Amino acid sequence: MAKETGVLESAKFIYENSEDVRISKEGCEEAANVIYDAIEAEYYSTETWSNHLLNPKEKNGSTIDWIFLVDLLNFSFWSDYDLKDTGKSDTKRYSVKWDGHNWTGYWSLCALVNRALAEGIPITSPSFWVDQEKCTDELLCYVFRSNNLEKIPMEKERISCIREAGEVLTKKFGGSFKNCIERANNSAVELVTIIVENFPCFRDENEYKGRIVKFYKRAQILVSDVWACFNQESYGKFYDIDKISMFADYRVPQILYNIGCLQYSERLKSHLLSLKLIEHGHPWEIELRGCSIWCVEILKSKILEKHPKSHINSVLIDFYLWDTAKKNQQQSKSGHDSSIPCHRTRSVFY
């Protein structure tokens, strides 16, 4: 059984060799105090996961199927239309109208899944995904349909992920991700390993300075969403959840910079401010993601040094940072919060 995911080892290597992204120890010291106080004040825990309007309230096998599909498709929601990154649907960015609200970003994904289920489309069923007579590409495009001018980013890639995952689940895991969970024997690390070894679209790895580095963003958030949804019980009971790192995307690095934890070279900062693309696999992308993971580990260690009885781990810090970044996006007129946009990389991995 796997003892580590390899993500933290990779993040440490990236941090030690990074040329354009640095971690501010002073910034982390200040931020750790703020983050701890905020998480405690808001009673941040796994119990808050189900509070969101779009997240499932029931806790059963169907819920597992919902979580798996959402995290299977949980990537690349930044917009080519909403250049100020306001997150608002009136910018013509991709949005999904559901339950009286126009949802954008990650929440548009949750909304489209709920919309399809309400329309009688068994979109969370892996056996449906592999039945291409019923689950046609045209039907999936209908499921992904936008309430705005912009289509869902990477539509073809999302359809490919659904087909691939359906084949793996039906042929190797009895048609449901819950069998992967049971095979992991309450180990979060083992479940991540099962995911990345069997589902290529979750195998989030790159080469950096002659070495393969691992991020596993969607695999780790899939495990963590199960953990949070089931409130650390039943399918969500993992004895080693603290070995899961933060989920290296494009949103959390942004807030880590804006609260003073990350520092960028002038050339990287200029590139980000000009809203230029960063190709997947570019050293800048790898350094942004790897240093963000290691930064959250530093934040966690500083919090636990002062509060050794705290329940805080990297997953909860990530949940808090992501939620805070989205709140800041909604409250800011520009969307960029204060100083830096998120990096613009198209990838199925985040």
Side-chain angles (χ1 to χ4, degrees), residues 107-125:
W107 295 115
S108 67
L109 171 60
C110 301
L112 75 84
V113 173
N114 291 343
R115 180 179 65 183
L117 291 172
E119 293 174 340
I121 301 171
I123 194 59
T124 57
S125 172

Side-chain angles (χ1 to χ4, degrees), residues 27-156:
C28 287
E29 192 74 45
E30 294 180 13
N33 294 327
V34 173
I35 291 169
Y36 173 78
D37 290 342
I39 289 178
E40 291 297 308
E42 297 179 28
Y43 301 103
Y44 225 80
S45 70
T46 53
E47 294 182 3
T48 61
W49 190 91
S50 296
N51 291 345
H52 195 280
L53 178 64
L54 293 174
N55 283 342
K57 304 300 181 281
E58 295 183 353
K59 304 181 189 300
N60 52 36
S62 296
T63 311
I64 294 295
D65 293 337
W66 187 96
I67 293 172
F68 181 83
L69 175 61
V70 166
D71 285 323
L72 175 67
L73 303 178
N74 184 1
F75 56 84
S76 201
F77 287 101
W78 57 266
S79 173
D80 286 317
Y81 284 72
D82 184 11
L83 297 181
K84 291 185 177 180
D85 194 26
T86 65
K88 297 176 181 177
S89 60
D90 60 8
T91 58
K92 300 182 181 179
R93 70 178 293 154
Y94 177 73
S95 69
V96 172
K97 189 171 184 179
W98 169 247
D99 203 20
H101 187 84
N102 284 325
W103 301 95
T104 64
Y106 164 76
W107 295 115
S108 67
L109 171 60
C110 301
L112 75 84
V113 173
N114 291 343
R115 180 179 65 183
L117 291 172
E119 293 174 340
I121 301 171
I123 194 59
T124 57
S125 172
S127 61
F128 179 65
W129 305 342
V130 297
D131 186 348
Q132 296 197 38
E133 290 187 2
K134 294 181 179 179
C135 184
T136 63
D137 287 1
E138 290 74 20
L139 178 62
L140 290 175
C141 290
Y142 171 78
V143 169
F144 292 147
R145 71 191 183 278
S146 177
N147 194 52
N148 252 334
L149 182 62
E150 185 177 31
K151 294 177 62 177
I152 192 169
M154 306 187 76
E155 184 176 68
K156 291 182 179 179

Side-chain angles (χ1 to χ4, degrees), residues 250-266:
Y250 50 84
R251 190 62 67 189
V252 176
Q254 178 191 34
I255 191 172
L256 288 173
Y257 176 90
N258 286 338
I259 64 176
C261 293
L262 293 183
Q263 299 172 335
Y264 299 161
S265 67
E266 286 302 317

Side-chain angles (χ1 to χ4, degrees), residues 67-68 71 177 195 202 218-226:
I67 293 172
F68 181 83
D71 285 323
F177 181 65
I195 295 166
F202 280 93
R218 288 195 296 109
Q220 290 198 118
I221 202 169
L222 171 54
V223 174
S224 298
D225 278 344
V226 172

Side-chain angles (χ1 to χ4, degrees), residues 304-340:
L304 293 177
E305 281 174 12
K306 293 183 179 180
H307 309 280
K309 295 183 180 180
S310 172
H311 66 283
I312 284 176
N313 57 24
S314 297
V315 175
L316 289 178
I317 294 174
D318 183 285
F319 283 170
Y320 169 77
L321 289 171
W322 191 87
D323 286 349
T324 302
K326 295 300 288 183
K327 289 177 184 176
N328 291 348
Q329 180 193 40
Q330 293 166 3
Q331 294 168 0
S332 171
K333 292 182 180 179
S334 68
H336 294 326
D337 183 23
S338 59
S339 50
I340 208 79

